[in-house]
Amino acid sequence: MGAPLAVAAVRSPWGRRAGLAIGTAVVGAALVPLALIGTLMSPASDIDMNNVTCAMSDMKLGASGLNLTAEQTRNSETIVSTGANMGVPVRGQVIAIATAMQESSLRNLDGGDRDSVGLFQQRPSQGWGTVAQIMNPVYASTQFYRHLLAVPGWQKMAVTDAAQAVQNSGFPEAYAKHEARAVSVVAGMSSGGVEQINAATGCTPLSSPASSNVKGYVAVALQQTGKPYVWGATGPDSFDCSGLIVYAWRQMGKQLKVRTSQQMYDVSVPVPAGSEQSGDLIFTEFGQQDGMAGPAHVLIVVGPGLAVEAPRTGLDVRVRKYDPKTENMRFGRLPESQMTTISTQA
């Protein structure tokens, strides 16, 4: 859904329409044992969040398959660390690496076409800086990122289109061939992990990407069963599909940086069907949303085959079974980098 970000009041999650009975939570025809809620609220230290299978293998720079020289490794580290220090999302770092692979093979060249120099073959005559400045890899990387961030909608572009918007190359399709290798280079950085590139290229989480409060967040979502669906609502008395997720995390002291199902899909770590865990998200109803391809609906995994959701107008928050073999579903896990710690109020 596309509702604007709304900050929910923090109250007791046990609302007047929670639909709870002694021993069970009533969700339409489904019964959710309170024992399940109790289990989900137990300490989260036993949650295994480190077995996500991703499309790209975790590898260090210079490892087999990357074959980077010492100079290429050093320059790659500079490009990625500069982007990280600027707060550039991982996807932007991949675009930068792919661009430098095409322009200079990750070498700090002192010449090129006309007056082009450096990692990105930037031209002093085009306002990128002096030769001395551009030959500084940190400066050159910073300039590339500043120009990239100024491109409207760059995060929704294909890697080659975003790179071309910055570089204005005579070979605009040349960057695409470097994307997969660029993902591996960024994933190989020892200082952090790739949490999300896009739904197609996958992820390489080098550390647990999700909050340790997963069980409590799922329990809060379950406690909202029976409350009405209202588009744009984030609780405590009504919810839309993503608003339920925003509210449940907020009760755990986490304010999400994303609000809609589309935004959640864009930043989530892809999880293969069959590997989903309690707290993961299920994205459905794919199509054009606000001019972009993505999901119109999101659910929360309670356990394999069981989800809690705020379905649509006329249907209250409920628990239902799901089957990824017969339903068009994709699974994801919100990384903790998309959450801000807040102080909850009674």
Side-chain angles (χ1 to χ4, degrees):
M1 55 77 57
L5 179 64
V7 178
V10 182
R11 306 180 190 171
S12 168
W14 298 91
R16 60 182 177 84
R17 297 190 62 198
L20 294 175
I22 300 299
T24 60
V26 181
V27 192
L31 296 180
V32 183
L34 288 183
L36 174 60
I37 295 179
T39 299
L40 289 167
M41 294 190 72
S42 63
S45 58
D46 60 337
I47 298 178
D48 179 12
M49 303 299 274
N50 295 306
N51 64 348
V52 184
T53 302
C54 298
M56 303 304 298
S57 299
D58 179 12
M59 59 183 71
K60 300 300 179 185
L61 295 182
S64 176
L66 292 180
N67 298 319
L68 299 181
T69 67
E71 178 188 9
Q72 290 172 322
T73 298
R74 184 171 59 253
N75 290 330
S76 296
E77 290 173 339
T78 296
I79 292 169
V80 173
S81 62
T82 300
N85 290 337
M86 293 175 65
V88 177
V90 168
R91 183 168 180 78
Q93 298 168 32
V94 171
I95 293 168
I97 289 290
T99 301
M101 284 179 168
Q102 172 61 28
E103 298 292 353
S104 68
S105 296
L106 292 170
R107 296 174 295 159
N108 197 25
L109 302 178
D110 59 5
D113 179 50
R114 288 170 284 189
D115 59 338
S116 301
V117 294
L119 287 172
F120 299 92
Q121 289 291 279
Q122 295 157 337
R123 299 177 59 190
S125 63
Q126 299 297 314
W128 287 94
T130 67
V131 171
Q133 288 175 321
I134 298 172
M135 287 297 293
N136 180 321
V138 174
Y139 175 90
S141 299
T142 299
Q143 287 294 93
F144 178 86
Y145 286 125
R146 285 177 176 170
H147 283 74
L148 175 66
L149 295 175
V151 175
W154 69 269
Q155 292 199 59
K156 302 296 182 184
M157 294 180 178
V159 167
T160 190
D161 293 337
Q164 174 64 7
V166 175
Q167 297 294 109
N168 294 314
S169 169
F171 304 94
E173 301 301 322
Y175 305 104
K177 64 186 178 185
H178 300 289
E179 179 174 359
R181 195 159 182 249
V183 170
S184 293
V185 168
V186 177
M189 289 297 298
S190 60
S191 59
V194 174
E195 289 172 340
Q196 173 69 21
I197 305 302
N198 60 39
T201 54
C203 61
T204 305
L206 303 182
S207 60
S208 175
S211 168
S212 60
N213 292 327
V214 169
K215 288 187 176 181
Y217 133 77
V218 175
V220 170
L222 285 170
Q223 292 161 7
Q224 310 315 308
T225 56
K227 294 184 179 181
Y229 176 98
V230 174
W231 187 86
T234 58
D237 299 320
S238 59
F239 305 90
D240 64 17
C241 65
S242 54
L244 177 64
I245 297 165
V246 170
Y247 177 81
W249 272 119
R250 191 168 175 81
Q251 309 318 298
M252 295 295 101
K254 299 288 185 179
Q255 178 66 54
L256 299 187
K257 298 179 182 179
V258 288
R259 170 62 181 90
T260 68
S261 56
Q262 172 72 60
Q263 292 168 345
M264 292 177 183
Y265 177 73
D266 287 344
V267 303
S268 288
V269 176
V271 176
S275 300
E276 68 271 16
Q277 300 176 15
S278 179
D280 287 344
L281 302 181
I282 307 173
F283 300 99
T284 66
E285 300 179 17
F286 286 86
Q288 289 292 317
Q289 315 300 330
D290 298 325
M292 296 174 290
H297 188 53
V298 59
L299 308 81
I300 305 170
V301 174
V302 176
L306 192 66
V308 59
E309 65 171 345
R312 61 181 181 273
T313 302
L315 290 178
D316 295 341
V317 176
R318 65 181 183 179
V319 171
R320 76 167 178 92
K321 295 180 180 180
Y322 69 85
D323 182 3
K325 294 181 180 179
T326 59
E327 300 181 73
N328 182 19
M329 292 180 161
R330 300 177 191 175
F331 298 85
R333 185 168 300 160
L334 280 176
E336 195 161 16
S337 62
Q338 296 298 320
M339 307 177 189
T340 301
T341 301
I342 58 174
S343 298
T344 59
Q345 300 175 1

